[in-house]
Amino acid sequence: MLMGSPPDDLTTALAACAKGDRTALRGIFDREAGRLVTVAERIVRRRDLAEEVVQESFIRIWTQAHQYQPDRGSARGWIYAIVRNRALNLLRDGKREYTVEDVEVLRERDQVDHVMAAWHQLDRTSRLHDCLGALDETKRRGILMAYIGGYSHGEIAGRLRIPLGTTKSWIRRGLSALRECMA
Amino acid sequence: MTDNRTDIGVIADEYVLGLLDAADGLRVEANMERDPDLKAAVAASRERFLPLDDTAEAAIVGDDLWSRIEAGLPAQGSRTGAAHKPTANDNRPGGWRATALAAMVAAVILAVALSFNLMRTVEPLVVAVLVNEAGDVKAIVEDFGNEKAAVRLLTDFEVPEGKTIEVWTLPSAERGPVSLGLIDDARSVRLNGPSLPKPHDSQLYELTLEQAGGSPTGRPTGLILAKGFAKIAR
């Protein structure tokens, strides 16, 4: 299910980072930074902020490399989680809202587009595609909006025009169904 | 919140999707270190959703981004180095961002105004506004400098069974963190602390989650719930 080079490369690179090898971090950068910028940009919506997120994340990858263990999942999943967390934290600081010059225009444009675009690009032979595809449209959309776009429960409820409590329980049920389907 | 094993999958997924609020997210991160099932659930959840990240087309990044990263890299082995704000314990080094501390400055104004109204008769020497990692104001500590301090909780803290909230301060780096007391039922309290030098400007105050009865080591060992630096009440 992992694409690109085998995960062992990244595991090895993280171990080298923990020992102070900067070329190992550069290796991770060369391989993943471009995609990580896009992942962050899907959440923070601005290229400059996305680069800021990736910059901070690489420093965190460097300082926390010694904490990575295979029981935390794949090295790649661990690295992407750091970037997603940084991007989400930046959102929670309200930076996206305050620094975007024309908030209204941004909101008017259908920001859900890029979320659905990601769904359409998802590898059709993947288990995740099958299992997400088996969910009701609303549940699938809610889960994709959260993971890809970094939307909160409240934002999802507002955009899908369903009550907050309903949104929460639908997403929960969707997630449970997904877990069972992929188990 | 992880008592029910069947909930672990839900919590892990909501954490990975970013649907938990900052405090719950921090709790998951702390619990993960003690709960292998939760750790495994988070790892599995990350792997499940990772193919969605693979749909991201790689952006073209310039060398300048790498230069900025390289310029900011601390030497390995000095993880709690000079770049970080002082902290009373080292269980989560570097986890607190400058933005959280900046948010605090604004909140100090509110806190000073608040304490002026509430404590008209006895003035605290210093007031510290404590924020969580996301910068949300969680509590205010008023230190009266006479072995008495008041902690005002401004939010609900979920304290798991067998745990308590402990209040700490760092009078000086040499002395290290000192416990001011426990907040047993997660409500605002007045504490009778040990005899300490007069609290000073920028003194650190911190709330951590410890085992019932307080930290066994006499030093903070658990998750930092909130922290902040004191301002002298004028």
Side-chain angles (χ1 to χ4, degrees):
Chain A
M1 117 187 194
L2 289 162
M3 298 175 119
S5 315
D8 296 31
D9 288 1
L10 285 175
T11 307
T12 313
L14 285 179
C17 285
K19 291 190 188 118
D21 179 358
R22 289 179 178 215
T23 58
L25 189 71
R26 175 73 205 226
I28 299 175
F29 179 89
D30 287 343
R31 201 179 121 180
E32 301 289 348
R35 186 172 276 139
L36 288 169
V37 166
T38 306
V39 166
E41 193 175 353
R42 283 170 168 179
I43 296 173
V44 299
R45 308 291 152 71
R46 287 198 352 194
R47 174 64 187 256
D48 57 334
L49 293 180
E51 288 204 9
E52 198 180 296
V53 164
V54 170
Q55 183 186 334
E56 290 171 0
S57 298
F58 268 84
I59 291 172
R60 209 173 173 97
I61 289 164
W62 176 255
T63 55
Q64 302 197 341
H66 67 286
Q67 289 175 9
Y68 173 71
Q69 295 291 331
D71 68 352
R72 294 180 190 272
S74 70
R76 192 149 184 273
W78 185 80
I79 288 167
Y80 275 71
I82 287 179
V83 171
R84 295 189 68 257
N85 281 342
R86 298 302 282 183
L88 289 167
N89 278 336
L90 191 125
L91 275 199
R92 287 188 180 126
D93 291 347
K95 210 164 171 180
R96 174 172 78 187
E97 303 298 339
Y98 295 127
T99 49
V100 166
E101 284 178 0
D102 197 341
V103 175
E104 287 310 309
V105 170
L106 192 81
R107 285 201 175 132
E108 286 306 310
R109 257 189 316 182
D110 190 6
Q111 284 297 329
V112 181
D113 272 0
H114 73 290
V115 167
M116 295 321 285
W119 158 240
H120 293 304
Q121 282 154 16
L122 181 61
D123 179 3
R124 276 163 202 282
T125 63
S126 69
R127 198 94 184 258
L128 182 62
H129 188 278
D130 284 353
C131 292
L132 274 171
L135 297 179
D136 310 341
E137 165 80 17
T138 316
K139 287 175 189 157
R140 175 168 64 243
R141 224 170 231 268
I143 290 170
L144 291 169
M145 285 172 76
Y147 189 84
I148 296 165
Y151 289 89
S152 66
H153 278 129
E155 288 173 320
I156 294 167
R159 280 166 176 81
L160 299 184
R161 301 185 201 291
I162 40 180
L164 182 60
T166 312
T167 305
K168 286 186 183 175
S169 62
W170 280 11
I171 289 179
R172 248 176 222 186
R173 270 185 275 155
L175 288 169
S176 297
L178 204 59
R179 269 199 313 281
E180 276 170 38
C181 176
M182 293 182 74
Chain B
M1 65 186 230
T2 55
D3 293 341
N4 189 338
R5 299 280 111 178
T6 58
D7 283 348
I8 281 186
V10 176
I11 290 161
D13 277 346
E14 289 187 337
Y15 168 72
V16 167
L17 261 63
L19 287 169
L20 298 181
D21 65 31
D24 283 341
L26 284 176
R27 202 170 304 127
V28 169
E29 284 166 15
N31 289 345
M32 238 160 72
E33 301 309 313
R34 306 184 268 268
D35 184 343
D37 290 348
L38 182 61
K39 194 190 237 181
V42 168
S45 182
R46 281 179 184 157
E47 299 306 317
R48 263 201 301 283
F49 288 102
L50 197 56
L52 286 170
D53 290 329
D54 289 326
T55 65
E57 226 168 276
I60 296 167
V61 290
D63 263 351
D64 54 326
L65 178 57
W66 171 254
S67 306
R68 292 200 299 274
I69 291 166
E70 202 175 21
L73 292 183
Q76 290 294 29
S78 64
R79 292 179 188 110
T80 55
H84 299 299
K85 295 275 178 187
T87 186
N89 54 0
D90 59 1
N91 46 1
R92 279 181 60 84
W96 291 73
R97 289 157 302 120
T99 42
L101 301 163
M104 209 175 66
V105 173
V108 163
I109 296 163
L110 167 129
V112 170
L114 190 68
S115 69
F116 178 77
N117 288 326
L118 297 173
M119 310 298 298
R120 210 168 270 257
T121 47
V122 195
E123 292 283 350
L125 291 179
V126 298
V127 178
V129 177
L130 311 193
V131 299
N132 67 4
E133 194 174 0
D136 302 322
V137 175
K138 293 292 182 185
I140 291 174
V141 177
E142 294 160 304
D143 196 334
F144 296 86
N146 52 0
E147 303 167 34
K148 290 195 196 319
V151 185
R152 209 171 288 279
L153 300 186
L154 300 177
T155 184
D156 289 326
F157 286 94
E158 263 186 52
V159 182
E161 215 174 293
K163 296 279 178 185
T164 186
I165 298 174
E166 190 152 13
V167 186
W168 303 90
T169 189
L170 188 68
S172 66
E174 302 78 64
R175 175 141 185 186
V178 178
S179 174
L180 293 178
L182 304 177
I183 308 180
D184 279 331
D185 42 6
R187 287 165 56 186
S188 300
V189 286
R190 291 181 161 265
L191 299 170
N192 291 306
S195 183
L196 290 173
K198 243 190 200 179
H200 56 82
D201 199 38
S202 300
Q203 184 163 323
L204 178 73
Y205 290 83
E206 195 173 79
L207 303 182
T208 65
L209 199 58
E210 301 288 352
Q211 63 181 60
S215 162
T217 64
R219 299 268 163 161
T221 57
L223 172 70
I224 303 173
L225 300 171
K227 72 176 188 182
F229 300 97
K231 290 279 172 192
I232 292 178
R234 296 170 170 94

